[in-house]
Amino acid sequence: MNQNIKEIEDRIKESSLWDKFVEFLDFRLIDFTYGTGQDAHDIVLKVKYVLLVALVMIFTTYLLRLVNRWVTRKMPREDKVKFNTVFSFGRWIIYIIVILIVFDSIGINVTAVFAASAALLIGVGLALQTLFQDIISGIFILIDQSAHVGDIIEINGKVGRVEEIKLRTTRAVTIDNKVLIIPNHMYLENSLFNWTQNNNITRESVTVGVAYGSDVQLVKKLLLQAANDHKSVLEDPPPLVLFTDFGDSSLNFKLIFTIDDSFMAAIPQSELRFEIDRLFRENNITIPFPQRDIHIIQNQNKA
């Protein structure tokens, strides 16, 4: 039996098909010499090396999937999403390390390869500078937890509810249902306001000015009435009225109230302004418009 198997192997090796296959494996995809004299380095890349790298990468991918499943099997869903995002970045680093190890093991001078492609690598690095900034910023966001899915954030005057945090970008939805794509490096370059990091309950306000001579106690009463009657305003903590300033042409007040959905704050603010205007009209409280006194000086030419 063993003799028959050996005869079959010898025939396969002696056949022209086997010779062609071996010749194909030894085919040189890349073959050049970098440097001169003692600094010369031969860089050779054969088909069999490429196949070996492919097999190693397939095995590495399968192993990383097993590690990912084992580590995240008991994690909460939110923590699992964060880990998978960071793991996806670390996976590419592992791939690069594995490829370098395989190249070094099969006799390819990795240092020579990097030296030969130094100019190209510098150009690629400059082109991908912003990409790397986004990736590093994304890792910082996941580590320090400055923003979570569902948080309402404000950056560069734009407000949105976070829907997804990726390694390079953060996707948020604005109040008018537009998708806001935020490159993660903007978190490092700008101030980030997280409206709901503590909780979803936020303090909002509406400002209004009344004419001089108005009954300020009545103004306070009407402002509190408008807030207490609104369905979106929470009873605890109760609404508060502040007499903020004596303006140029008005007495200025601020109505402070609490709601549990700051993302939709513009709607109750608008409704409160409608109600305040109605209550002021019913109680003869005037909201003044800015007034300016203009003095005209005429030059009289004497004869």
Side-chain angles (χ1 to χ4, degrees):
M1 183 69 176
N2 293 333
Q3 185 177 0
N4 293 334
I5 295 176
K6 186 176 180 181
E7 290 178 357
I8 294 174
E9 291 178 352
D10 292 339
R11 290 179 181 178
I12 292 175
K13 291 181 180 179
E14 293 175 357
S15 64
S16 59
L17 182 61
W18 175 259
D19 293 337
K20 290 181 179 179
F21 180 69
V22 173
E23 183 180 352
F24 171 73
L25 293 178
D26 289 332
F27 179 77
R28 298 187 175 189
L29 298 173
I30 299 176
D31 184 5
F32 70 93
T33 301
Y34 172 74
T36 58
Q38 295 180 352
D39 296 330
H41 299 282
D42 294 330
I43 299 177
V44 179
L45 182 62
K46 298 181 180 180
V47 173
K48 60 183 179 182
Y49 298 159
V50 176
L51 294 178
L52 177 61
V53 171
L55 291 175
V56 172
M57 294 296 291
I58 293 173
F59 174 78
T60 303
T61 301
Y62 180 73
L63 182 62
L64 289 175
R65 287 179 180 176
L66 290 179
V67 172
N68 188 16
R69 291 176 183 175
W70 182 78
V71 173
T72 60
R73 69 187 189 281
K74 295 182 179 180
M75 282 187 179
R77 182 180 178 277
E78 184 176 349
D79 293 339
K80 186 182 295 186
V81 172
K82 294 178 181 179
F83 177 82
N84 289 334
T85 303
V86 178
F87 186 80
S88 64
F89 175 69
R91 181 178 58 187
W92 291 107
I93 298 178
I94 294 175
Y95 283 154
I96 294 174
I97 295 174
V98 169
I99 291 175
L100 295 178
I101 293 175
V102 173
F103 280 176
D104 186 69
S105 301
I106 60 182
I108 296 179
N109 193 329
V110 178
T111 304
V113 174
F114 280 122
S117 57
L120 176 62
L121 293 176
I122 292 174
V124 172
L126 292 175
L128 299 179
Q129 183 178 3
T130 303
L131 174 62
F132 289 137
Q133 288 180 351
D134 290 335
I135 292 175
I136 298 301
S137 301
I139 294 177
F140 285 159
I141 293 171
L142 295 173
I143 292 176
D144 65 15
Q145 299 184 0
S146 57
H148 300 82
V149 173
D151 286 354
I152 300 173
I153 61 173
E154 178 182 353
I155 186 168
N156 276 353
K158 298 180 176 61
V159 179
R161 190 193 301 274
V162 177
E163 296 291 331
E164 186 178 14
I165 301 176
K166 294 183 178 180
L167 203 58
R168 194 184 68 83
T169 59
T170 297
R171 188 172 69 90
V173 177
T174 62
I175 190 173
D176 49 3
N177 203 31
K178 295 180 180 179
V179 177
L180 181 64
I181 305 298
I182 307 172
N184 287 335
H185 75 270
M186 293 184 65
Y187 291 105
L188 298 180
E189 299 176 355
N190 302 276
S191 297
L192 172 67
F193 297 93
N194 192 325
W195 292 7
T196 55
Q197 189 172 45
N198 295 329
N199 49 55
N200 291 328
I201 298 176
T202 57
R203 302 278 276 178
E204 306 294 338
S205 64
V206 171
T207 59
V208 64
V210 299
Y212 274 90
S214 301
D215 186 345
V216 294
Q217 294 300 326
L218 178 60
V219 171
K220 178 180 179 180
K221 177 183 177 181
L222 295 177
L223 291 176
L224 291 175
Q225 178 182 338
N228 290 324
D229 292 343
H230 197 281
K231 60 182 180 179
S232 298
V233 177
L234 302 181
E235 296 180 359
D236 186 26
L240 174 68
V241 175
L242 297 180
F243 191 161
T244 58
D245 200 5
F246 294 93
D248 292 338
S249 56
S250 64
L251 305 174
N252 298 327
F253 292 83
K254 176 183 285 188
L255 172 62
I256 302 174
F257 55 93
T258 307
I259 60 176
D260 58 2
D261 187 2
S262 58
F263 189 61
M264 304 298 292
I267 294 177
Q269 286 175 335
S270 174
E271 293 174 347
L272 282 174
R273 293 186 182 99
F274 278 115
E275 181 64 12
I276 290 171
D277 180 72
R278 185 186 68 82
L279 291 174
F280 281 6
R281 289 177 184 274
E282 289 180 355
N283 290 272
N284 297 320
I285 302 294
T286 303
I287 300 176
F289 54 87
Q291 300 181 18
R292 297 289 184 272
D293 293 332
I294 300 176
H295 300 275
I296 300 176
I297 300 177
Q298 294 181 348
N299 292 328
Q300 296 180 355
N301 296 325
K302 296 181 178 181

